[in-house]
């Protein structure tokens, strides 16, 4: 289906354990049909660049490859950006 090809990708930079990440995912749950969630474990060796950048800031979110927010979900900001991307795709 082509709809999923147009869905924005929300990247979550995380590590285990990350209670704040779990909380963030719960907050985003009602929106999950509108984006693809991609999780990046910053503790993996291939993600060391992200680890150096975000080790004190997770959760960190990028939307379609652009930095969006960190520490917690700013639902207003998230909705605004998601809406913008959805309008571009129509």
């Amino acid at each position: 289906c082509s709809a999923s090809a147009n869905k924005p990708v929300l990247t979550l930079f995380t590590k285990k354990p990350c209670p704040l990440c779990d909380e963030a995912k719960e907050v985003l749950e009602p929106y999950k049909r509108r984006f693809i969630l991609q999780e990046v474990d910053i503790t993996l060796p291939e993600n060391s660049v992200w680890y150096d950048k975000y080790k004190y800031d997770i959760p960190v979110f990028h939307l379609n490859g652009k930095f969006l927010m960190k520490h917690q979900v700013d639902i207003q900001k998230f909705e605004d950006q998601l809406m913008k991307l959805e309008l571009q795709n129509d």
Side-chain angles (χ1 to χ4, degrees):
C1 117
S2 62
S4 69
N6 290 334
K7 275 190 191 172
V9 176
L10 185 68
T11 308
L12 164 60
F13 294 90
T14 184
K15 65 182 181 187
K16 303 257 184 293
C18 177
L20 285 175
C21 302
D22 298 337
E23 214 172 281
K25 283 192 276 189
E26 273 176 43
V27 173
L28 293 168
E29 185 69 20
Y31 300 91
K32 73 171 191 250
R33 282 180 201 82
R34 293 170 59 192
F35 65 88
I36 296 161
L37 181 66
Q38 186 182 36
E39 293 189 41
V40 175
D41 184 338
I42 63 169
T43 62
L44 297 176
E46 65 268 26
N47 296 327
S48 61
V49 170
W50 296 117
Y51 180 81
D52 293 340
K53 197 168 180 175
Y54 292 144
K55 59 187 167 205
Y56 303 118
D57 288 321
I58 62 166
V60 175
F61 292 93
H62 286 195
L63 191 57
N64 279 2
K66 291 195 189 108
F67 175 82
L68 181 66
M69 55 197 171
K70 64 183 181 184
H71 302 151
Q72 63 190 43
V73 174
D74 177 340
I75 214 68
Q76 195 57 60
K77 186 176 195 177
F78 175 67
E79 265 188 71
D80 291 349
Q81 293 303 315
L82 195 57
M83 193 75 76
K84 265 187 207 154
L85 290 169
E86 287 169 345
L87 290 172
Q88 283 171 10
N89 286 333
D90 285 347

